[in-house]
Amino acid sequence: MEPIPPPPRRSRGVRIYLIVATALFGLSLLPAAMAALMSPMAFDAGESREAWTFVLLVWAYPVLVILGLLAAWILYAARAYRTAIAASLLPLLDGAALAALFMIWG
C-alpha cells in the first residue's frame, strides 16, 4: 500500500485564509443581528418594493455567511481550494447588492 502524499503547499495558505474569513465573517454576524432586528422599521412608511428588498437582503446575510463558510470548509476538505475561496466570499454578494440598493434608491 502506497503512503498518502502530503497535501500541496497551497492548502496551508487556503486554510489560513479560511480561518481568517471564518473569524471575520463570524464577527460580522453581531452587527448583522442588530440590523436584522431593526430592519422591520423599513415598513414604518408603508410597504414598498424597496422596503421588502432591503429587509430580505438584511435577513439573507447571516444565512449566506453560514452556508458560504460551511460550503467553503467542505470544499477545502475535498481539496477544491479555489472553489472553497469563492464559496467563502458568498456573503460579499449580499453586501454588494445592498450597496447597489442604496446607490439606486438612495
Side-chain angles (χ1 to χ4, degrees), residues 37-104:
L37 290 173
M38 300 298 226
S39 65
M41 290 184 198
F43 297 112
D44 285 349
E47 287 190 35
S48 66
R49 181 176 45 177
E50 293 87 359
W52 275 107
T53 304
F54 172 75
V55 170
L56 290 176
L57 283 173
V58 169
W59 287 354
Y61 181 78
V63 174
L64 291 175
V65 167
I66 293 167
L67 292 179
L69 290 175
L70 182 65
W73 283 105
I74 291 170
L75 289 165
Y76 173 79
R79 297 188 180 190
Y81 301 126
R82 288 185 183 182
T83 312
I85 292 172
S88 73
L89 297 174
L90 188 61
L92 294 181
L93 292 177
D94 186 74
L98 197 56
L101 175 77
F102 284 137
M103 288 193 309
I104 292 171

